[in-house]
Amino acid sequence: MLDRLAAPLRRLGRQCINAVWRLGYASRFFLFVLMRSGTSFRRFQLVIKEIYFAGVLSLIIIIVSGLFVGMVLGLQGYETLQKYGSAEAVGTLVALSLTRELGPVVAALLFASRAGSAMTAEIGLMKATEQISAMEMMAVDPIARVVGPRFWGGLISMPLLAAMFSAVGVFGGYLIAVVLIGVDEGAFWSQMQNAVDYRDDILNGVIKSVVFGVAVTAIALFEGYDAPPTAEGVSRATTRTVVTSSLAILGLDFVLTALMFRGA
Amino acid sequence: MERTVLDLWVGVFVAAGIAALLILALKVGNASATFNVGDTYRVSAEFDNIGGLKPRAPVKSAGVVVGRVDQIQFDNERFRARVMMNIDKRYQFPRDSSLSILTSGLLGEQYLGLEAGGDTENIKDGESFKLTQSAVVLEKLIGQFLFNKAAEGGDTKK
C-alpha cells in the first residue's frame, strides 16, 4: 500500500536526479571543450573546415529567408503604417525588428536545424561506428580533435550569418517599400538611420547572435556526444538537438531582451 | 575538398559577414553620425518642463541637426530640469540664443529647437542658455482651453 503511494514520488525523484545529473554532465562537457580548444587554434585549418560546413553551406537558406522575411515585413508594415500616414516609417520598422530580434533569432533557428542537427548526427554516427573509441585508442583526444573545431566553427559562423540575415532583410524591405510600392527613398533611409543606434540595436543584436551560437553548438555537440550508439539513439538525439536548441534560443532571447531593452 | 578552395569559400563567407555588419552599422544605423564626437562643445539650459525629451534627441537650428542632448538632470535647488547638450564645434551661436522644446510632426519625437539671438559674443563651452521655452503639455493646453470656454460662457450669460 505504502509502496504504491511512494512509487510516483520515487519516479519524480529519479527524473529530477537524472535531469540534474545530465545538466552537470553537459556543463562538464562544455568546460572540457573550452579547456581543450587550444588544439582548435593551433590547427586552425580544422576550424576553417567546420566554418565551411556550418557557415558557408548555410548561406543560401539564410540569404533566401532573410530576403523573404524583410519583404514580408515591408509589405505588412506598409499596410498598417499607411493608415496613419507615416508609410516612410516602414524603414525604421524593418530595420529595428531585424537587427534587434528577427535577425539573430530566425538565423539561429535556421542554424540550429541546418547545422546543429548535422553536427549531432555526425558525432552520434562517429560514436555509433566506434570512430570516437578508435581515436581514443590512438591517443587522440576526440574532444580536442572532433568537438572543439566544430564548436569554434559554429561560434564564428553564427554572428556572421545573423548579420547577413539582417542586412539582406533590410534590402528586402527596401525592395518592397521603395522599388515596388514607391515610398520615398530618402525618407526611408533617413528615418531608419535616425532610429537605429549602432550600439543599442546593432551591437546588441550581435551579442545576441554570439550567445545563440554558443547555445546551439554546445547543445548540438553534447547531444551528439551523449547519443546512445544506435540508429534510434542518433535519430532521437538529432530531434532533441533541434527541439532543445530552438527552445533555448527563444528563452535566451527573452532574457537578453529584458536585460538589454528594459524600458530604455 | 581541396584546401585552397575551402579557404577561398570561408574567406568569402567571413568577408561577406563583416561587410554585412558594416552595412548595418553605417547604412542602417547611425554609426557614421556618432563617430565625430570629438569636436563638440558642451552647453546646458534649464527648463520648467521638458515633456518627453530624451537623451540623444537632436538639437536643431533652422531644421538642421547641430548637436545632440547628452544628459537630463533634475535640479533639486531650483526644481527645474537641467539639459546638457553637445553641439558641433562647426556651429557657433550667440549667447542670447533661445531654446524651445518642439515636436517633429504630430506624433513624432521631441527635439530642441535653437533660435539664434543677436548678441555679438558667442556661447562657450560650459556656459548655459538663459532663454528657454518649455514643452507644450497637452493636458495643460486643453485645461486652459476649457477654462477660457467656461469664462466665455459666463460672459454671454451676463
Side-chain angles (χ1 to χ4, degrees):
Chain A
M1 180 63 195
L2 205 69
D3 223 34
R4 215 180 308 155
L5 272 176
L9 280 177
R10 205 176 292 139
R11 204 159 48 236
L12 182 72
R14 192 166 54 231
Q15 275 169 2
C16 278
I17 291 172
N18 272 346
V20 172
W21 183 84
R22 228 176 115 76
L23 195 68
Y25 184 42
S27 315
R28 278 188 52 191
F29 174 78
F30 184 58
L31 209 66
F32 271 127
V33 173
L34 286 185
M35 272 162 53
R36 295 180 194 174
S37 43
T39 317
S40 313
F41 292 102
R42 248 174 283 128
R43 296 177 61 189
F44 203 67
Q45 201 59 35
L46 293 173
V47 180
I48 286 182
K49 204 170 147 219
E50 297 310 324
I51 295 178
Y52 180 80
F53 284 122
V56 178
L57 295 182
S58 308
L59 265 184
I60 294 186
I61 187 173
I62 289 285
I63 285 176
V64 172
S65 1
L67 195 67
F68 278 108
V69 167
M71 284 176 9
V72 167
L73 278 177
L75 266 181
Q76 292 284 9
Y78 177 80
E79 281 297 315
T80 306
L81 286 171
Q82 54 106 6
K83 283 182 196 156
Y84 302 98
S86 50
E88 289 81 13
V90 70
T92 314
L93 175 94
V94 171
L96 277 184
S97 36
L98 276 168
T99 53
R100 284 184 178 180
E101 294 292 337
L102 287 176
V105 171
V106 179
L109 289 174
L110 291 171
F111 183 76
S113 37
R114 163 69 184 71
S117 59
M119 280 182 199
T120 308
E122 196 182 1
I123 293 181
L125 211 64
M126 281 174 108
K127 202 180 165 197
T129 52
E130 295 180 339
Q131 292 180 45
I132 301 257
S133 314
M135 273 184 189
E136 275 169 355
M137 293 292 255
M138 292 187 288
V140 174
D141 185 357
I143 290 192
R145 174 66 180 76
V146 175
V147 179
R150 283 174 175 71
F151 176 73
W152 289 103
L155 184 60
I156 293 170
S157 306
M158 185 56 230
L160 298 174
L161 288 173
M164 279 184 237
F165 188 95
S166 300
V168 171
V170 169
F171 177 69
Y174 166 83
L175 274 187
I176 290 295
V178 176
V179 179
L180 199 73
I181 298 177
V183 172
D184 181 57
E185 188 175 349
F188 180 87
W189 289 115
S190 71
Q191 288 212 5
M192 188 191 292
Q193 283 163 3
N194 256 333
V196 179
D197 186 79
Y198 82 100
R199 209 176 310 123
D200 288 348
D201 300 316
I202 294 171
L203 200 64
N204 277 349
V206 173
I207 293 172
K208 272 187 181 181
S209 57
V210 171
V211 173
F212 296 160
V214 173
V216 170
T217 41
I219 289 171
L221 294 171
F222 174 70
E223 290 289 357
Y225 201 76
D226 185 50
T230 58
E232 196 194 1
V234 174
S235 96
R236 284 214 179 143
T238 314
T239 312
R240 246 198 333 260
T241 295
V242 177
V243 173
T244 317
S245 46
S246 305
L247 288 178
I249 289 163
L250 296 172
L252 280 174
D253 181 49
F254 173 74
V255 174
L256 288 173
T257 306
L259 286 176
M260 287 168 176
F261 300 105
R262 138 183 84 178
Chain B
M1 177 158 307
E2 221 176 297
R3 187 170 160 169
T4 46
V5 181
L6 194 86
D7 284 356
L8 177 72
W9 274 109
V10 172
V12 169
F13 169 69
V14 173
I18 291 169
L21 268 180
L22 278 181
I23 288 173
L24 282 180
L26 296 175
K27 180 86 183 170
V28 177
N30 54 359
S32 47
T34 334
F35 276 151
N36 52 1
V37 283
D39 32 358
T40 59
Y41 59 101
R42 195 176 159 91
V43 291
S44 63
E46 286 190 349
F47 290 90
D48 290 326
N49 190 332
I50 57 160
L53 193 73
K54 289 191 178 68
R56 293 197 45 74
V59 180
K60 292 184 187 179
S61 187
V64 180
V65 178
V66 295
R68 285 197 185 272
V69 173
D70 183 45
Q71 239 184 344
I72 298 172
Q73 292 167 344
F74 183 68
D75 187 341
N76 208 179
E77 274 165 24
R78 281 188 265 188
F79 303 110
R80 300 178 85 194
R82 172 170 280 276
V83 176
M84 321 279 195
M85 66 206 91
N86 292 322
I87 295 181
D88 200 315
K89 272 248 166 73
R90 285 176 295 170
Y91 308 114
Q92 301 290 334
F93 292 96
R95 299 183 66 171
D96 61 344
S97 302
S98 68
L99 278 170
S100 41
I101 296 177
L102 304 169
T103 311
S104 54
L106 195 58
L107 300 166
E109 55 172 341
Q110 291 196 303
Y111 66 95
L112 277 178
L114 210 169
E115 199 96 14
D119 204 317
T120 47
E121 227 177 297
N122 281 340
I123 197 159
K124 286 195 256 349
D125 189 76
E127 292 185 330
S128 63
F129 288 113
K130 296 288 178 293
L131 293 171
T132 60
Q133 195 186 346
S134 289
V136 175
V137 178
L138 211 57
E139 285 85 348
K140 275 191 188 166
L141 210 66
I142 292 171
Q144 231 163 35
F145 175 74
L146 287 178
F147 187 76
N148 285 349
K149 271 284 170 207
E152 269 176 34
D155 284 346
T156 46
K157 254 177 214 167
K158 267 184 210 168

